[in-house]
Amino acid sequence: MAIALGGDGDEKPMSDINTTPLVDVMLVLLIIFIIAVPVAIQTVEELKIPIIRSIESDNKVENLLITITTTDDAGLEPGFTDTAYAGASRNGECRVFFNNVTPVDSQELYDKAFQRLDQLVKRAGGAEAMMANPDLIPQVHIRGDVNAPWRCVAGTIYNIQAAGYPTVGFISNPIDPGN
C-alpha cells in the first residue's frame, strides 16, 4: 500500500489505481481489433460456396464387398433362418460372403471375383484404358468379424489378389467418442 507524504504531517493511505498499464493494454487491443475486423469481414464476404447438381455417373466403379465370419462352436452358420447362431468362433469354419449376400468357398470366390473384374475391364475398354484412368479400378472392401481367425481373412485376401484386384481394404466400425 502506498503512503502519500504531504507537508501537513497527515499520513494516510493512497487508494488511487495506476491506470497506465490498463490504458496500454486497452490501446493494444483496440489496435488489434481495428486491423483484424475489416480483414475478417472482407474474407467472409468474398467466400462463394459452389452449388452443384449431383447426378450419378454412368462409369461409376463398383467396389466389391466381402464379408468374413465363421461358424459358431456348435457348427451353426450365420443367417436369417438359424436364430440359434451364437456368433463367430475362432475354431469355426470360414464363411465368406461375396457382395455381402452369396456364400462362397475359396474357388468360387476366385472365380466370381475374376469374372467380375473381367467384366469391369471390358466395360472400361480394356486394361490400358483402365490403367489410364485409375479411378476406374475397383477396390475390394473386406468386412471381417472381430472373432474371425486370421487364416480366413488371409485366405480371402490371397484369392482376391490372385483374381487381379490390386487394392484391398478393410471396413471397420468407428469408435464411439462417448465411451
Side-chain angles (χ1 to χ4, degrees), residues 67-113:
T67 303
I68 303 171
T69 188
T70 63
T71 59
D72 63 4
D73 288 328
L76 298 174
E77 295 186 15
F80 296 112
T81 58
D82 192 3
T83 58
Y85 177 69
S89 170
R90 298 220 181 247
N91 299 324
E93 293 181 34
C94 299
R95 295 293 181 252
V96 178
F97 295 88
F98 190 83
N99 268 344
N100 209 22
V101 177
T102 310
V104 292
D105 64 11
S106 292
Q107 189 59 44
E108 288 174 327
L109 175 63
Y110 173 81
D111 293 340
K112 284 182 177 266

Side-chain angles (χ1 to χ4, degrees), residues 3-19:
I3 298 177
L5 299 175
D8 60 354
D10 267 350
E11 291 186 9
K12 55 184 175 180
M14 186 170 86
S15 60
D16 297 334
I17 296 175
N18 186 1
T19 58

Side-chain angles (χ1 to χ4, degrees), residues 26-41:
M26 295 306 281
L27 284 174
V28 168
L29 288 173
L30 180 65
I31 292 170
I32 289 173
F33 284 124
I34 288 174
I35 294 171
V37 169
V39 171
I41 290 174

